[in-house]
Amino acid sequence: MPDQQPDLQEFTDAVKPFTDFLSKNFPKGICVSDIRDIFGRQYVDLAQEGGGIHGIALAGYTYILEKMGVRFMKMAGTSAGSINTLLLNAVYTNEEADELRKRGSKIVKDVKYYETRSEKVLEYLAKKDLREMIDGHQLWRTIFLNLFAPKSSGEYLKSKFYFYKKLIIILGITLSTLLVSSVASAIYPVENGLRLAFVLITILSAVSVATILAWLFSRLLIGRLMYRFAEFLGINPGDNFETWITNILVENGIENTEDLNKKFTEESDVFNPQYNPCDPIIPKEGLTHSPVQSTANMDEIIEKVKTEPNVENLISELRSVLFPDKSLEETDAEHKLDLIMNAFEVRLRQEKSITRELVIVSSDITHEIKVEFPGMHKMYWGNDYQTVSPAKYVRASMSVPIFYKPFQVNFVEGQMETIREEWNKIMKTGAGPKDQAIFVDGGLLSNFPINVFYNPDLPVPRKPTFGIRLEYQEDYQSTRINDIMGLAGSLISTMRFFYDREFALKHDLYKKTVRSVDTGKIHWLNFYLHEQNKIELFFRGALSATIFLAHHAITDEEVEKLINEGNHVAFRKGTFSIYDNQKKNDFRTEDKLKANLVFEWQSYKKERLKNRIYNEDLKDNIKTQASMKNLPSK
């Protein structure tokens, strides 16, 4: 039974080999973005997947990113990903808090902060007894804490099966004994010791049968009571979780959604993130041949890149005029691409829209839509930003069906006019909403919202969108369906991953910025998490982030050395291994198992532009095939 929660120092000590490795190999940092603030920190957008208890691994991943000077401009998350998303936006680093206090901020509270925001989030996670989040009836609490405990759900169910099997066998034997002894005592005519023994056996058997039947009846009664406690659409109310998040927000000066918006505004004004390339593209001199001499002047093309307001027209012209036959020598093609990239940098310097965004995904099953908070706040609360805590967004996002009761919003009559107007504006419907909305886990529709920040108007990105997935699994792997349970599971999985996989299919370059965290054998609903398991999840997240950041500049052998660190993770006065004894160093990551997914910022920007100029959209290819024009002729 977990008794002593690990402290913050134990988490950071466990991943010190990774921070030391990155500091040693990249003393000047790693270039991952062209947006920087007054502290010199780089900014990326970040999407975080849902995954229950595995969310601790997200903190390990973001901790490594922050230690390398990376901060987050736009953030999106679902379920567990929404928790880390909101908390990272709620807290500060000590450097940020000091700067804001100097400038007279009234938002920053007298709270201890650290070098990274992830450390503050981790402090809250470390102090939280996760078992408290199972806040339903004690009977359900006992079942769930044992069902997903480290000994595994299979062992627990198996033990219960054998227990009831033995009980039924005992009941059968006792009933048989009762029957035989009753008959024997009834037909045995002589009043002696043998008949008395039959009578005593009959009485004992009857008492035993009555006791077993009474116990089984009590189990049935308890089962009915358990159903009653769960019949309001979910087993656990989720109140403990919402209160926990609310208190964290209040401690950091955020009592409502309006406070969070003020915090965003103040940080943007003070930290002042601006376009500032870490390694500007400088075209090589000496290459004068132009592939467009017969159709256009290169200077005119470059000028259009800098000023053309319509991006689609610009891309179309670059595709049709610059390299119509793709037959240039590589050096010449690269020179032209450098010229174009340089022109885009001029264009990007003129862009002023560097905005903070927060997206928390939930599923509105009353109106059958995917919801993104706080962007769709007015559709449910109208103009009430003063009494609604952002904790409600996360509570709506993490409502795992059945496990938690759905989150419910009853529309306030005084806000209905605004609510109807917002529904009509966004949903393009005159019918308006019902009188309430019921939300379940956002993962039901989009468990990994990598698509929410995609901007087709910027063919050359100013910053990448990083993504953190939980539980490594092969994309598009087939599933054999043999029974009704397999059918139901596949139906749910198809719904959960449809949005996210469709986007990945059309924009495969995002695979270079997305990494999965191999969470090992720790079940995502194991709220009975031991201290060592918390450290392990954090370590696994940090390991995945370290390999992702460094792989472009290190060898495969060095990657293996990093993975090998999992054999001796520092904890308390000793070490432990995250690997199964039978499978040493069995850590799965896209960097290790898939080719051509190494991320390096400058080459990534070029690939994004090439993709936009040269490659037809996959959707167009599918449409072309659907038209049946390209079917082979006989």
Side-chain angles (χ1 to χ4, degrees):
M1 182 175 184
D3 49 2
Q4 180 185 351
Q5 299 298 336
D7 60 30
L8 178 61
Q9 189 66 44
E10 289 177 309
F11 282 98
T12 55
D13 284 349
V15 300
K16 192 172 185 299
F18 302 144
T19 55
D20 288 346
F21 174 85
L22 291 169
S23 298
K24 177 183 176 182
N25 287 274
F26 305 95
K28 295 183 179 180
I30 301 174
C31 178
V32 298
S33 170
D34 289 338
I35 302 296
R36 280 170 177 67
D37 64 13
I38 61 171
F39 303 113
R41 306 175 304 185
Q42 304 175 77
Y43 282 80
V44 302
D45 298 336
L46 182 67
Q48 300 180 85
E49 188 175 46
I53 294 303
H54 292 164
I56 296 173
L58 297 172
Y61 200 105
T62 56
Y63 171 71
I64 292 297
L65 293 180
E66 287 194 87
K67 287 291 285 184
M68 293 305 293
V70 178
R71 295 298 184 268
F72 313 112
M73 181 63 65
K74 300 178 181 181
M75 298 185 69
T78 300
S79 197
S82 73
I83 299 172
N84 204 39
T85 293
L86 180 60
L87 295 186
L88 283 171
N89 278 283
V91 301
Y92 301 92
T93 67
N94 49 21
E95 184 179 45
E96 292 169 344
D98 290 345
E99 184 65 28
L100 289 169
R101 290 186 187 112
K102 278 186 209 173
R103 304 200 183 202
S105 172
K106 296 181 180 179
I107 298 177
V108 183
K109 300 296 183 181
D110 187 19
V111 176
K112 180 182 178 181
Y113 294 110
Y114 303 93
E115 181 186 353
T116 69
R117 293 191 179 198
S118 295
E119 288 170 276
K120 189 62 181 178
V121 173
L122 194 58
E123 179 184 78
Y124 290 124
L125 290 173
K127 290 179 179 178
K128 178 64 176 175
D129 184 349
L130 300 176
R131 294 170 297 170
E132 295 174 350
M133 293 187 184
I134 302 180
D135 57 351
H137 192 272
Q138 182 61 39
L139 295 171
W140 280 116
R141 178 181 169 85
T142 301
I143 287 175
F144 276 108
L145 286 178
N146 283 283
L147 187 61
F148 301 108
K151 61 184 178 182
S152 85
S153 57
E155 289 297 320
Y156 177 73
L157 294 174
K158 193 181 294 183
S159 67
K160 288 298 180 183
F161 172 77
Y162 284 128
F163 172 78
Y164 282 102
K165 181 180 178 181
K166 290 177 182 177
L167 190 65
I168 291 172
I169 291 173
I170 292 171
L171 178 62
I173 293 173
T174 308
L175 280 170
S176 300
T177 303
L178 175 63
L179 180 63
V180 171
S181 61
S182 298
V183 172
S185 61
I187 64 175
Y188 198 77
V190 182
E191 292 286 343
N192 57 19
L194 184 59
R195 188 174 189 280
L196 180 61
F198 282 133
V199 172
L200 289 174
I201 291 174
T202 301
I203 294 173
L204 289 174
S205 298
V207 171
S208 298
V209 169
T211 301
I212 293 174
L213 290 175
W215 190 88
L216 289 173
F217 178 77
S218 71
R219 297 298 98 181
L220 290 174
L221 182 61
I222 288 173
R224 176 64 187 91
L225 290 173
M226 289 170 66
Y227 172 76
R228 181 177 179 277
F229 288 126
E231 62 188 349
F232 296 107
L233 307 179
I235 294 168
N236 297 294
D239 297 336
N240 179 276
F241 170 83
E242 186 177 345
T243 300
W244 176 57
I245 296 293
T246 301
N247 291 340
I248 291 174
L249 296 179
V250 171
E251 181 180 314
N252 289 276
I254 301 171
E255 297 188 7
N256 51 51
T257 304
E258 187 176 77
D259 289 339
L260 183 62
N261 184 57
K262 289 178 181 177
K263 181 178 188 290
F264 276 21
T265 302
E266 183 175 65
E267 290 179 354
S268 297
D269 291 342
V270 174
F271 305 155
N272 192 30
Q274 296 292 327
Y275 182 75
N276 182 17
C278 55
D279 189 12
I281 299 293
I282 302 175
K284 296 177 182 178
E285 301 297 333
L287 293 172
T288 57
H289 173 69
S290 170
V292 295
Q293 286 177 350
S294 60
T295 55
N297 184 280
M298 192 64 186
D299 292 338
E300 293 178 5
I301 297 294
I302 295 302
E303 194 59 33
K304 282 191 175 183
V305 170
K306 296 176 183 178
T307 59
E308 172 61 50
N310 190 309
V311 174
E312 285 304 320
N313 289 345
L314 175 60
I315 294 300
S316 177
E317 186 163 354
L318 289 174
R319 182 186 298 127
S320 62
V321 177
L322 273 175
F323 307 108
D325 56 4
K326 301 183 184 179
S327 61
L328 293 176
E329 294 180 6
E330 185 65 24
T331 54
D332 206 15
E334 283 301 312
H335 173 65
K336 301 304 177 186
L337 187 60
D338 285 348
L339 290 172
I340 297 169
M341 290 291 294
N342 186 263
F344 267 110
E345 286 186 358
V346 174
R347 181 190 185 103
L348 292 172
R349 287 184 189 278
Q350 300 168 358
E351 297 279 349
K352 299 299 182 183
S353 57
I354 303 175
T355 57
R356 288 278 298 279
E357 286 185 36
L358 173 69
V359 176
I360 292 173
V361 178
S362 185
S363 304
D364 178 351
I365 58 174
T366 306
H367 303 95
E368 302 174 349
I369 59 172
K370 183 180 83 167
V371 177
E372 296 177 3
F373 290 125
M376 299 169 78
H377 173 103
K378 291 176 70 173
M379 291 175 61
Y380 299 93
W381 290 282
N383 289 316
D384 182 7
Y385 292 96
Q386 293 76 37
T387 66
V388 178
S389 169
K392 295 189 179 299
Y393 304 153
V394 180
R395 175 63 183 85
S397 180
M398 53 70 72
S399 302
V400 179
I402 308 302
F403 190 83
Y404 281 112
K405 290 181 180 179
F407 179 71
Q408 182 171 316
V409 174
N410 296 312
F411 297 144
V412 177
E413 185 61 37
Q415 296 288 345
M416 281 307 297
E417 183 178 352
T418 302
I419 291 172
R420 290 193 186 95
E421 287 178 359
E422 195 70 10
W423 272 85
N424 293 338
K425 181 174 74 174
I426 293 178
M427 303 305 297
K428 305 295 189 291
T429 173
K434 299 178 174 62
D435 59 351
Q436 67 176 16
I438 292 177
F439 299 88
V440 297
D441 197 306
L444 191 68
L445 295 177
S446 179
N447 201 42
F448 181 51
I450 188 68
N451 63 314
V452 295
F453 302 132
Y454 175 64
N455 184 359
D457 291 334
L458 294 175
V460 177
R462 294 176 293 182
K463 56 188 182 325
T465 298
F466 286 175
I468 315 172
R469 307 198 66 174
L470 297 172
E471 294 189 41
Y472 180 88
Q473 54 185 252
E474 294 290 340
D475 289 335
Y476 318 119
Q477 60 185 4
S478 60
T479 302
R480 186 177 293 278
I481 301 173
N482 297 318
D483 51 39
I484 190 67
M485 294 301 293
L487 176 63
S490 293
L491 286 171
I492 293 172
S493 294
T494 301
M495 289 188 293
R496 287 181 64 206
F497 298 126
F498 167 73
Y499 275 110
D500 310 328
R501 284 180 173 170
E502 182 188 35
F503 180 80
L505 183 67
K506 295 176 181 176
H507 306 90
D508 61 347
L509 269 178
Y510 274 80
K511 291 181 179 179
K512 291 207 168 191
T513 61
V514 173
R515 292 296 179 270
S516 303
V517 177
D518 183 353
T519 51
K521 293 184 177 181
I522 299 173
H523 197 282
W524 68 281
L525 283 176
N526 178 16
F527 287 85
Y528 199 100
L529 208 60
H530 286 268
E531 311 89 86
Q532 183 173 301
N533 296 138
K534 288 185 176 182
I535 298 290
E536 178 179 336
L537 285 173
F538 183 76
F539 181 92
R540 286 176 174 273
L543 173 55
S544 185
T546 302
I547 297 172
F548 166 66
L549 286 176
H551 198 195
H552 71 281
I554 63 176
T555 64
D556 290 341
E557 289 74 19
E558 288 175 299
V559 170
E560 288 297 331
K561 286 182 180 179
L562 289 171
I563 293 174
N564 189 55
E565 291 289 341
N567 283 310
H568 39 81
V569 181
F571 181 57
R572 306 269 158 93
K573 294 181 179 180
T575 63
F576 69 90
S577 174
I578 68 171
Y579 303 121
D580 189 304
N581 290 331
Q582 305 300 318
K583 296 181 179 179
K584 287 289 185 181
N585 301 359
D586 182 28
F587 186 82
R588 296 170 299 169
T589 171
E590 290 85 350
D591 284 290
K592 180 181 176 184
L593 301 176
K594 296 183 179 181
N596 302 320
L597 290 185
V598 174
F599 172 77
E600 194 280 320
W601 176 233
Q602 294 299 346
S603 60
Y604 177 76
K605 287 192 293 183
K606 287 186 179 182
E607 287 180 85
R608 282 280 296 268
L609 181 59
K610 283 181 182 178
N611 229 34
R612 193 70 185 277
I613 295 176
Y614 302 135
N615 298 343
E616 292 181 350
D617 192 279
L618 180 59
K619 183 178 179 181
D620 293 333
N621 286 341
I622 293 174
K623 284 184 175 180
T624 301
Q625 294 172 24
S627 70
M628 303 181 73
K629 292 179 181 179
N630 294 333
L631 289 178
S633 57
K634 293 184 179 180

